[in-house]
Amino acid sequence: MAVVTNNEISLDGREPSGEKHRGPVVLRGEQSRSTSTTDQRLLDSRGPTDWVHTDPWRVMRIQAEFVEGFGALAGLPRAVTVFGSARTKPDHPDYAKAMAIGSALAGEGFAVITGGGPGIMEAANRGAKEAGGMSVGLGIELPFEQGINQYVDLGINFRYFFARKTMFVKYSQAFVCLPGGFGTLDELFEALTLVQTKKVTKFPVVLFGTEYWGGLVDWIHRSVAGAGNVGIADLSLIHLTDDVDDMIRVVHDAYAAWVAAH
């Protein structure tokens, strides 16, 4: 089973490593000193009007990024994406939990896909790799470079978040979210929206860590559903657990339902 995690921006005060990734390109020395990213240059509409001439050419780069991702990941077995904080240290209990999740998924024959960075992502990749499974990392160009962690067997660096997000969804049969920050929340709610609107089907979203996620789930039940902004049936899209075996059961049940539907 593949585990995919989310690569979050690390703002923990570490100095840049002197190496920067811009999509598949590696920049070192003076070439690595730019703090702007490809996403930023695409989305920032301020400045001279020469964007009229340059943006159409960016479409070719975006197309190439999709082609590269589709080509590299087309042969993946069934997979699960694991999201979580890039800031989690190896001695934190959540790191050990992510390793156990990666190992369990690999043991069940799933590829493990993450954002390829440190923290929870590294732990899930490590658990999968050490269990003999396939470990995948989908990195992203960031102002503060993180790089692909050493436990990734197949790694791709993306320039654009939206291209990377497509790969997470297209090549996964489930999302597992461990404690994380804005990046994890972004992936969580995007996945829930895609399932709610039937853009993807038979796709479980597991929140691992009742103490961390319990307040959010309570708020969704009390405030969001209470105000009628989501339906009662939508609440079943989230599965909250602290148990690895329970997580595996949810993933297996959803995968079996997906196979039956196809």
Side-chain angles (χ1 to χ4, degrees):
M1 179 173 291
V3 178
V4 184
T5 70
N6 186 36
N7 191 358
E8 297 180 347
I9 296 176
S10 175
L11 300 176
D12 58 4
R14 291 178 297 171
E15 293 295 324
S17 64
E19 178 174 297
K20 189 175 185 65
H21 294 266
R22 182 166 293 158
V25 179
V26 177
L27 303 174
R28 293 188 174 124
E30 291 297 323
Q31 296 296 316
S32 70
R33 296 189 183 278
S34 172
T35 58
S36 68
T37 67
T38 309
D39 261 335
Q40 179 185 343
R41 292 189 292 274
L42 170 66
L43 299 174
D44 191 350
S45 60
R46 294 170 296 177
T49 58
D50 61 0
W51 64 268
V52 174
H53 306 289
T54 59
D55 277 4
W57 289 103
R58 286 193 173 118
V59 173
M60 302 300 292
R61 176 177 283 176
I62 293 167
Q63 177 181 321
E65 194 148 289
F66 277 104
V67 170
E68 183 71 24
F70 291 153
L73 300 174
L76 278 185
R78 56 186 184 164
V80 172
T81 296
V82 176
F83 296 111
S85 178
R87 306 184 187 198
T88 304
K89 303 302 182 185
D91 60 352
H92 194 282
D94 288 340
Y95 189 98
K97 293 174 184 176
M99 279 192 65
I101 287 170
S103 178
L105 290 169
E108 295 295 320
F110 287 88
V112 173
I113 306 170
T114 75
I120 293 297
M121 295 171 280
E122 176 186 288
N125 286 134
R126 181 178 177 181
K129 184 178 180 66
E130 292 183 354
M134 187 169 189
S135 175
V136 180
L138 308 182
I140 187 70
E141 177 189 352
L142 296 172
F144 299 91
E145 189 61 36
Q146 294 177 324
I148 298 292
N149 70 68
Q150 63 181 315
Y151 301 103
V152 168
D153 298 316
L154 172 60
I156 307 172
N157 278 303
F158 289 87
R159 292 183 174 94
Y160 300 104
F161 270 111
F162 55 83
R164 179 177 180 246
K165 286 180 175 182
T166 299
M167 304 303 154
F168 282 140
V169 174
K170 180 174 175 59
Y171 294 102
S172 299
Q173 274 71 52
F175 281 179
V176 178
C177 297
L178 283 91
F182 288 155
T184 301
L185 291 169
D186 174 53
E187 299 290 359
L188 164 63
F189 283 108
E190 181 155 1
L192 289 172
T193 301
L194 291 172
V195 178
Q196 181 195 44
T197 56
K198 310 298 183 184
K199 296 294 185 181
V200 295
T201 58
K202 310 297 183 185
F203 196 100
V205 177
V206 178
L207 299 182
F208 199 92
T210 56
E211 183 177 354
Y212 188 85
W213 294 112
L216 174 64
V217 174
D218 289 344
W219 173 76
I220 292 172
H221 279 73
R222 181 181 64 255
S223 297
V224 184
N229 293 323
V230 297
I232 298 301
D234 295 329
L235 300 177
S236 66
L237 300 177
I238 303 172
H239 186 82
L240 181 63
T241 188
D242 289 309
D243 185 74
V244 174
D245 290 337
D246 185 41
M247 179 272 298
I248 290 291
R249 177 190 61 78
V250 171
V251 171
H252 267 306
D253 288 351
Y255 182 72
W258 181 85
V259 171
H262 290 75

